[in-house]
Amino acid sequence: MKLSVLQKARYEYQPKLPAALKQALDLISMKIGEATKSVADQEEVKALFPATYGKPLVTFRSGASSPNRNPLRVGVILSGGQAPGGHNVIAGLFDGLKKGNADSKLFGFLNGPAGLIDGKYKEIDAAFIDEYRNTGGFDIIGSGRTKIETDAQVASSLEVAKKMKLDAVVIIGGDDSNTNAALLAEHFIKADLKTQVIGVPKTIDGDLKNDMIETSFGFDTATKTYSELIGNIARDANSAKKYWHFIKLMGRSASHIALECALSTQPNVCLISEEIENEKKTLGQITQYLCDIIAKRAENEENFGIVLIPEGLIEFIPEMKTLISELNDAMAKHADEFTRLKTFAEEYAWVEKTLSKTSVQVFASLPEEISKQLLMDRDPHGNVQVSRIETEKLLLGLVQKELAARKNAGTYKGSFSGYTHFFGYEGRCAFPSNFDADYCYSLGFTAFLLIAQGLTGYLSSVRNLTAPADEWQAGGVPLTMMMNMEQRHGSKKPVIKKALVELDGKPFQEFAKNRDKWAITTSYLYPGAIQYYGPTEVCDAASKTLQLEQGKAKR
Amino acid sequence: MKLSVLQKARYEYQPKLPAALKQALDLISMKIGEATKSVADQEEVKALFPATYGKPLVTFRSGASSPNRNPLRVGVILSGGQAPGGHNVIAGLFDGLKKGNADSKLFGFLNGPAGLIDGKYKEIDAAFIDEYRNTGGFDIIGSGRTKIETDAQVASSLEVAKKMKLDAVVIIGGDDSNTNAALLAEHFIKADLKTQVIGVPKTIDGDLKNDMIETSFGFDTATKTYSELIGNIARDANSAKKYWHFIKLMGRSASHIALECALSTQPNVCLISEEIENEKKTLGQITQYLCDIIAKRAENEENFGIVLIPEGLIEFIPEMKTLISELNDAMAKHADEFTRLKTFAEEYAWVEKTLSKTSVQVFASLPEEISKQLLMDRDPHGNVQVSRIETEKLLLGLVQKELAARKNAGTYKGSFSGYTHFFGYEGRCAFPSNFDADYCYSLGFTAFLLIAQGLTGYLSSVRNLTAPADEWQAGGVPLTMMMNMEQRHGSKKPVIKKALVELDGKPFQEFAKNRDKWAITTSYLYPGAIQYYGPTEVCDAASKTLQLEQGKAKR
């Protein structure tokens, strides 16, 4: 296998662990905290998780201990979208297992939860894991989005775990995957199997976050990569002085990524979905907001700028949400009728007679390219594929139209030329930053400690993350503690509550305090490429979001 | 001014100089080589450059010397598209000037050659230049694409230079800008002004290259940035195992960028425009080539991949070149008629009756979105805006159509889902790699040496670039030496010959030797982000292209 020079160099990096975890295993004691309860709907959640509900928080610290030192057999699953650092979680878990007993074995289930259902796995040994240390990607064993949901899938998973004599399964995933991990833990107990289940909080989106989970892994690296690119483009804009760049950023359900990138690069505009939903903004209002800033900058002869747009934006604009929902309903109800339509003009006429008056107006206001995307790009269930809608082009199109109107009216005299970008895949598999490399390795090692202490239905937790790694606090959080009941596909389900951007939180407040200045006065920051070597302030800093949340940001 | 941590750290970096240039100025001697001649059309070029034609190559080495140590007044211009390292050229020039005489002054003309024409400039002093050392962008003084061409522009430039009492002007630019530099040098001599003109070879495209200029600056950083992103996406593809990514890369006139990125990341496909033109490939043949690889990988259950596409591709496909040229001609000739057409259907009918039969067939084979781009997005002269054509979407569209046909015919059984990307602005203003930081600083310092030796019409040259910087060889190349005569806008003009990818050159040969393997067997390399600190093999290596050309690549 031929390797890049950086990959070879990164193999040599030794991730940092919290001081307590560097000791001999029998000197790492587990402190048991108070019993917990779910964040809401306690009775319902408790009823669904009779065996694992209400367990205590636990933390690891120095002190005499007698963890399970028998040879263990553990399976590990990478679930859902890629996030930088997944390989290091597995490395930390592997090193923990071997520290516990050299005869312990780690098995990687292939291509996500499907690997457990189908019993497809490979053993991860020392030589193999060494090829993935401190690297990005989930290619070590692949990932997948299959869920262990149906009775057959659950039965099959139990069967495989039993046959493999698994002491534990570690599921590395986001909120959905960890909800599934909690359910699986219950199934194992109910079936009287010894297999414990431990989750690890992964997602670049940053929406798996709460009092006990300061950040999900991958967020730091992904946002640093996007910020590198935004900074480079901003510097280009500020040099060429003639283009507006509309940049969409991955992250559908929350705007943490866009907000973090805004704090790191100080663009002219960053739209925050949560705020737009809260203020019930329309597409027209957003367009006016953008055009006002563009016009103001043009008055200063700055016909260039940077606009950041969260991927999920249109689902947070009430009128667009309604339009999409009406479209989905109408097409489901009148599928045959719609399928017979041949041209866009026919489809357009059908929309006009089928949807509500408000939605027809919104539909008519969209650039043609976007209306077509709404009608044509549909998923296998016939629903609008929101993630394929080019929101950045939608906004650019609306802005161009409005600026042309203002020019005609004589109220805008600038010149406008726009480019669009979408960054997502560029950051999900980057080499993890030192922060993510250390954090993930610590999460993996902690997952082992939770197993060795006999726990199940827990999420691995490492906290105090803006302090040096030595001072990080490792522990475990009962998965049920983070749950509430939500309506999903027509029925109430237990789910881990998603963390949206809090409009009264410090990161958003910091942004809100500065954005009017950034809008008009060019104030770009150029973060540059992630550095893995060099001065510690350059290569070890946590995200701005985390620093602000923990009151440690230097302004 | 608030700064990123990397920016602050980069201010402290001291760029490396060739050993000979580190000495006291009176120990840096200039060796005068043989007289030169232009690469072709010697008589014609000589006639156009009577004062500067045929000058000798010069090199700087250790030895007694007596350069001009008077206080100098020098102007500097950033011309054309941004390239990482421009700020360091100016820093090297500044430091050289101050080393020559503390009273020397450097003036930066604002926003490109227009600054010289209009006499708009600012003085660059020590505190100011310190804010730009080792950073990307051209924002120190801005850049622009105005050319000093008309008599009025030339007269105005001479006037400004005279009024400012300029000893020299340094023009940092690509092939066109340096052609203009050569002409300006002649104008100054003819007008009996003392102002010397020195060029510096800039362009991320890598097409300003010849025996004396091993590489233009910025190519290294830009390709390393694109390769970072391609590698990240490749690792994502190899983890998710379900997407083909079609990635277009900046660089219209040559495919050096795509080739360098291919050598750095080993994608499944990289199209090289020069080869496609040479073999007179059609769009249909390119589509078949892509689909054959996609189908073959699908047989191995690898329904994912990476395709690199040079930005200028369609201008190298003979049938597309003809189509675009016929469209431009027809629209120029029948502008009024075409403008009256209202719908795409009417325009389509017009194309059918106006263009040649072959071009109509090619036009009909294009996805509708692309046909519309050809007809609608036109520049102020009415020409097709080739750079706005989404070649990556064109190819993806053609591939989807062909795969659907093969699926119907039962000859393809895979599943295909594609994403497109375009990387350009992401890399032009990155913090320069150590290589570019050192190279640019050396080029700027050498530009000063050429001025102090009284030369004009020279390009600053630093060679032996795959050796450690200590062993680099600085010198000067007469600009006329790189020229030939070419047809431009209806008349023959002297121009610096563009370097295209040589199909018998080592970089392309290395790629050609491996590409069939890379196509089918997943062999991605993950270069990761540019590193400025750390092991020298990680942070100081020259481009693969340069290493192969100089026989120094480790395979």
Side-chain angles (χ1 to χ4, degrees):
Chain A
M1 186 159 65
K2 206 181 142 193
L3 299 169
S4 78
V5 285
L6 183 64
Q7 181 146 348
K8 274 184 240 170
R10 289 307 282 167
Y11 286 164
E12 306 304 319
Y13 179 74
Q14 181 53 51
K16 300 185 269 292
L17 276 178
L21 272 50
K22 291 183 196 164
Q23 309 171 93
L25 286 182
D26 47 13
L27 294 177
I28 308 174
S29 81
M30 183 171 82
K31 189 189 167 216
I32 297 175
E34 303 265 307
T36 61
K37 53 186 186 175
S38 61
V39 288
D41 313 310
Q42 287 84 6
E43 288 313 309
E44 287 163 277
V45 176
K46 187 176 178 179
L48 289 162
F49 297 89
T52 59
Y53 186 86
K55 291 282 174 73
L57 289 166
V58 301
T59 49
F60 294 103
R61 49 181 64 187
S62 295
S65 175
S66 52
N68 183 355
R69 299 294 294 259
N70 294 328
L72 298 174
R73 297 172 62 84
V74 174
V76 63
I77 295 171
L78 289 164
S79 180
Q82 281 73 251
H87 290 163
N88 267 30
V89 175
I90 298 178
L93 174 61
F94 179 87
D95 291 353
L97 281 166
K98 293 296 179 182
K99 191 169 179 177
N101 189 310
D103 292 330
S104 288
K105 286 189 183 299
L106 181 62
F107 305 94
F109 287 106
L110 302 181
N111 303 322
L116 173 57
I117 299 171
D118 303 336
K120 290 194 177 157
Y121 60 89
K122 72 165 109 181
E123 189 180 336
I124 296 172
D125 62 16
F128 185 60
I129 190 70
D130 283 352
E131 287 182 8
Y132 292 90
R133 288 180 190 269
N134 309 303
T135 62
F138 280 6
D139 43 310
I140 183 169
I141 48 176
S143 183
R145 294 188 184 273
T146 308
K147 287 181 187 163
I148 302 170
E149 280 182 324
T150 65
D151 291 348
Q153 288 170 325
V154 170
S156 177
S157 301
L158 298 185
E159 190 65 31
V160 168
K162 191 174 173 181
K163 202 169 148 194
M164 288 176 69
K165 301 192 178 70
L166 289 185
D167 294 288
V169 174
V170 174
I171 297 179
I172 303 169
D175 51 345
D176 274 0
S177 306
N178 277 300
T179 297
N180 274 276
L183 289 164
L184 196 60
E186 286 284 333
H187 287 303
F188 281 125
I189 293 171
K190 208 166 149 191
D192 217 13
L193 289 177
K194 64 173 175 179
T195 316
Q196 304 157 235
V197 182
I198 302 295
V200 177
K202 170 230 72 169
T203 170
I204 64 161
D205 293 353
D207 54 3
L208 174 47
K209 178 162 76 167
N210 50 52
D211 289 345
M212 294 298 127
I213 304 298
E214 297 180 352
T215 187
S216 51
F217 80 75
F219 176 74
D220 186 73
T221 309
T223 53
K224 283 190 167 113
T225 303
Y226 304 145
S227 296
E228 170 199 358
L229 303 180
I230 296 163
N232 287 356
I233 291 174
R235 192 142 210 172
D236 201 295
N238 194 22
S239 301
K241 300 190 188 295
K242 60 183 176 182
Y243 298 124
W244 275 85
H245 295 272
F246 283 48
I247 304 172
K248 186 171 73 174
L249 296 168
M250 201 171 251
R252 260 184 75 183
S253 57
S255 306
H256 299 289
I257 289 179
L259 180 56
E260 170 69 20
C261 291
L263 292 167
S264 299
T265 63
Q266 304 187 173
N268 303 101
V269 178
C270 175
L271 302 174
I272 300 294
S273 302
E274 289 84 344
E275 182 187 28
I276 282 166
E277 181 173 51
N278 186 57
E279 300 186 352
K280 299 189 175 56
K281 285 277 199 312
T282 64
L283 264 181
Q285 288 169 324
I286 295 168
T287 306
Q288 292 298 333
Y289 172 69
L290 288 167
C291 290
D292 288 349
I293 289 171
I294 292 166
K296 187 81 192 163
R297 286 178 64 77
E299 284 172 21
N300 302 338
E301 292 186 44
E302 299 215 307
N303 288 297
F304 63 90
I306 302 290
V307 178
L308 302 187
I309 303 160
E311 185 184 10
L313 178 70
I314 62 169
E315 290 179 287
F316 286 80
I317 300 173
E319 61 182 13
M320 283 299 288
K321 202 172 167 179
T322 307
L323 169 63
I324 291 169
S325 147
E326 285 187 22
L327 269 176
N328 283 339
D329 285 353
M331 297 211 183
K333 216 190 275 177
H334 312 289
D336 292 349
E337 189 184 331
F338 183 77
T339 316
R340 280 196 300 274
L341 306 174
K342 290 275 179 286
T343 67
F344 177 63
E346 285 173 15
E347 289 175 354
Y348 198 107
W350 180 85
V351 166
E352 283 188 316
K353 72 167 195 193
T354 313
L355 303 196
S356 72
K357 200 176 148 189
T358 318
S359 286
V360 168
Q361 276 169 358
V362 175
F363 190 77
S365 76
L366 302 176
E368 188 175 303
E369 203 178 332
I370 304 295
S371 334
K372 284 188 176 167
Q373 278 181 2
L374 281 173
L375 295 177
M376 286 163 57
D377 290 347
R378 311 186 72 75
D379 73 13
H381 309 289
N383 289 320
V384 172
Q385 289 209 60
V386 178
S387 70
R388 288 270 181 170
I389 292 176
E390 297 176 291
T391 316
E392 67 282 23
K393 290 200 175 169
L394 166 63
L395 291 178
L396 178 59
L398 293 172
V399 159
Q400 283 167 330
K401 206 167 142 186
E402 170 63 17
L403 289 177
R406 291 188 184 194
K407 190 153 249 178
N408 271 337
T411 55
Y412 166 69
K413 296 188 169 59
S415 70
F416 180 86
S417 183
Y419 277 96
T420 59
H421 310 260
F422 171 37
F423 298 134
Y425 299 99
E426 291 76 359
R428 305 197 313 175
C429 290
F431 285 89
S433 62
N434 289 351
F435 174 87
D436 269 330
D438 299 346
Y439 180 42
C440 289
Y441 188 80
S442 299
L443 285 170
F445 195 91
T446 301
F448 156 71
L449 292 177
L450 294 167
I451 295 167
Q453 292 288 351
L455 301 184
T456 189
Y458 274 72
L459 191 65
S460 176
S461 156
V462 175
R463 298 171 63 203
N464 197 30
L465 293 170
T466 52
D470 252 358
E471 300 166 29
W472 290 357
Q473 291 152 12
V477 183
L479 283 162
T480 53
M481 183 186 177
M482 301 178 290
M483 292 193 177
N484 64 0
M485 301 298 292
E486 290 180 21
Q487 200 71 21
R488 295 282 167 94
H489 306 295
S491 62
K492 264 192 142 180
K493 294 257 167 84
V495 295
I496 293 178
K497 205 176 167 196
K498 265 193 205 299
L500 301 184
V501 169
E502 289 174 12
L503 301 182
D504 57 358
K506 285 181 189 163
F508 180 80
Q509 286 298 318
E510 175 70 19
F511 165 70
K513 197 175 77 192
N514 288 290
R515 65 175 152 187
D516 291 343
K517 187 177 73 199
W518 297 349
I520 308 306
T521 309
T522 301
S523 316
Y524 307 142
L525 288 181
Y526 311 119
I530 296 184
Q531 296 301 298
Y532 303 98
Y533 307 94
T536 186
E537 70 274 17
V538 171
C539 64
D540 292 324
S543 68
K544 305 263 180 195
T545 301
L546 207 44
Q547 290 182 42
L548 285 163
E549 283 173 344
Q550 303 197 353
K552 301 223 176 136
K554 295 184 203 118
R555 302 309 304 171
Chain B
M1 188 160 63
K2 207 183 141 191
L3 300 168
S4 78
V5 286
L6 183 65
Q7 180 147 347
K8 273 184 242 173
R10 288 307 281 167
Y11 286 163
E12 306 303 319
Y13 179 73
Q14 181 53 51
K16 300 185 269 292
L17 276 176
L21 272 51
K22 290 182 197 165
Q23 308 171 93
L25 286 182
D26 47 12
L27 294 177
I28 308 174
S29 80
M30 182 171 82
K31 191 192 165 212
I32 297 175
E34 303 265 307
T36 60
K37 53 183 186 176
S38 62
V39 288
D41 313 310
Q42 287 84 5
E43 288 312 310
E44 287 163 276
V45 176
K46 187 177 177 178
L48 289 163
F49 297 89
T52 58
Y53 186 86
K55 293 283 173 73
L57 288 168
V58 301
T59 49
F60 294 103
R61 50 181 64 188
S62 295
S65 174
S66 52
N68 183 354
R69 299 293 293 260
N70 295 329
L72 298 175
R73 296 171 64 83
V74 174
V76 63
I77 295 171
L78 289 164
S79 181
Q82 281 72 250
H87 290 163
N88 267 30
V89 174
I90 299 178
L93 174 61
F94 179 88
D95 290 353
L97 281 167
K98 292 295 179 182
K99 191 169 179 175
N101 189 310
D103 292 331
S104 287
K105 286 189 183 298
L106 181 62
F107 304 96
F109 287 106
L110 301 181
N111 302 322
L116 174 56
I117 299 171
D118 303 336
K120 291 195 177 158
Y121 60 89
K122 71 165 110 180
E123 188 180 337
I124 296 172
D125 62 16
F128 185 60
I129 190 70
D130 284 352
E131 286 182 8
Y132 292 90
R133 289 180 190 270
N134 309 301
T135 62
F138 279 6
D139 42 311
I140 183 169
I141 48 176
S143 183
R145 294 186 185 274
T146 308
K147 285 181 190 165
I148 302 170
E149 278 181 324
T150 65
D151 290 348
Q153 288 170 326
V154 171
S156 177
S157 301
L158 297 186
E159 190 64 31
V160 169
K162 192 173 171 184
K163 200 169 149 195
M164 288 177 70
K165 302 192 176 69
L166 288 187
D167 294 287
V169 174
V170 174
I171 297 180
I172 303 169
D175 51 345
D176 273 1
S177 306
N178 277 300
T179 298
N180 275 279
L183 289 164
L184 195 61
E186 286 283 334
H187 288 304
F188 280 126
I189 293 171
K190 208 166 147 191
D192 215 14
L193 289 177
K194 65 173 176 179
T195 315
Q196 303 157 236
V197 182
I198 302 296
V200 177
K202 170 230 71 168
T203 169
I204 64 162
D205 294 353
D207 54 3
L208 174 48
K209 179 163 75 168
N210 51 52
D211 288 347
M212 293 299 127
I213 303 298
E214 296 180 353
T215 187
S216 51
F217 79 76
F219 176 75
D220 187 73
T221 308
T223 53
K224 283 191 167 111
T225 303
Y226 304 145
S227 295
E228 170 200 357
L229 303 181
I230 297 162
N232 287 356
I233 292 174
R235 193 143 211 172
D236 201 296
N238 193 23
S239 300
K241 300 190 188 298
K242 59 183 177 184
Y243 298 123
W244 274 85
H245 295 272
F246 283 47
I247 304 172
K248 185 170 74 175
L249 296 168
M250 201 170 250
R252 261 184 76 183
S253 56
S255 307
H256 298 290
I257 290 178
L259 180 57
E260 169 68 20
C261 291
L263 292 167
S264 299
T265 63
Q266 305 188 173
N268 303 100
V269 178
C270 174
L271 301 173
I272 300 294
S273 301
E274 289 85 344
E275 182 186 28
I276 282 166
E277 181 174 53
N278 186 56
E279 300 188 353
K280 300 189 174 56
K281 285 277 199 316
T282 65
L283 265 182
Q285 287 169 326
I286 295 168
T287 306
Q288 292 298 333
Y289 172 70
L290 288 167
C291 290
D292 288 349
I293 289 170
I294 292 166
K296 186 81 190 162
R297 286 178 63 78
E299 284 173 21
N300 302 338
E301 292 187 43
E302 299 215 307
N303 288 297
F304 63 90
I306 302 290
V307 178
L308 303 186
I309 302 160
E311 186 185 8
L313 178 70
I314 63 169
E315 289 178 287
F316 286 80
I317 300 172
E319 61 181 14
M320 282 299 288
K321 203 172 167 178
T322 307
L323 168 63
I324 291 169
S325 147
E326 285 187 22
L327 269 177
N328 284 338
D329 286 352
M331 296 209 184
K333 215 188 279 178
H334 312 288
D336 292 349
E337 188 184 332
F338 183 78
T339 316
R340 280 196 299 274
L341 305 174
K342 291 272 179 288
T343 66
F344 178 63
E346 285 173 14
E347 290 175 353
Y348 197 108
W350 179 85
V351 166
E352 282 187 317
K353 71 167 195 194
T354 312
L355 304 195
S356 72
K357 201 176 148 189
T358 317
S359 285
V360 169
Q361 275 169 358
V362 174
F363 190 79
S365 76
L366 302 175
E368 188 177 305
E369 203 179 331
I370 304 295
S371 334
K372 285 188 175 168
Q373 279 181 3
L374 281 173
L375 295 178
M376 285 163 57
D377 290 348
R378 310 185 74 75
D379 72 14
H381 309 288
N383 288 321
V384 172
Q385 290 209 60
V386 178
S387 69
R388 288 270 182 170
I389 292 175
E390 297 176 293
T391 316
E392 67 283 21
K393 290 199 175 169
L394 166 63
L395 291 178
L396 178 59
L398 293 171
V399 159
Q400 282 167 330
K401 207 168 142 187
E402 169 65 16
L403 288 177
R406 290 189 185 194
K407 190 151 250 180
N408 270 337
T411 56
Y412 166 69
K413 294 187 171 61
S415 70
F416 180 86
S417 184
Y419 277 95
T420 59
H421 311 260
F422 171 38
F423 297 134
Y425 298 98
E426 290 77 358
R428 306 198 313 177
C429 290
F431 286 88
S433 63
N434 289 351
F435 174 87
D436 269 329
D438 299 347
Y439 180 42
C440 289
Y441 188 79
S442 299
L443 285 170
F445 195 92
T446 301
F448 156 71
L449 292 177
L450 294 167
I451 294 167
Q453 292 288 352
L455 302 184
T456 190
Y458 273 71
L459 192 65
S460 176
S461 155
V462 175
R463 299 171 62 204
N464 197 30
L465 293 169
T466 53
D470 252 357
E471 300 165 30
W472 289 358
Q473 291 154 10
V477 184
L479 283 162
T480 54
M481 183 185 179
M482 301 176 291
M483 292 194 179
N484 65 358
M485 301 297 293
E486 289 180 23
Q487 200 71 21
R488 293 283 168 93
H489 306 294
S491 63
K492 263 192 143 181
K493 294 257 166 83
V495 295
I496 293 179
K497 206 177 165 194
K498 265 193 204 300
L500 301 185
V501 168
E502 289 174 11
L503 301 183
D504 57 358
K506 285 181 188 164
F508 180 79
Q509 286 297 319
E510 175 69 19
F511 165 69
K513 197 175 78 191
N514 289 290
R515 65 175 151 186
D516 291 344
K517 187 178 75 199
W518 297 349
I520 309 306
T521 309
T522 301
S523 314
Y524 307 142
L525 288 180
Y526 312 118
I530 296 185
Q531 296 301 297
Y532 304 98
Y533 307 94
T536 186
E537 70 274 16
V538 171
C539 64
D540 292 323
S543 68
K544 304 264 178 195
T545 300
L546 207 45
Q547 291 182 42
L548 286 161
E549 283 173 346
Q550 303 198 352
K552 302 223 174 137
K554 294 183 203 118
R555 301 309 304 170

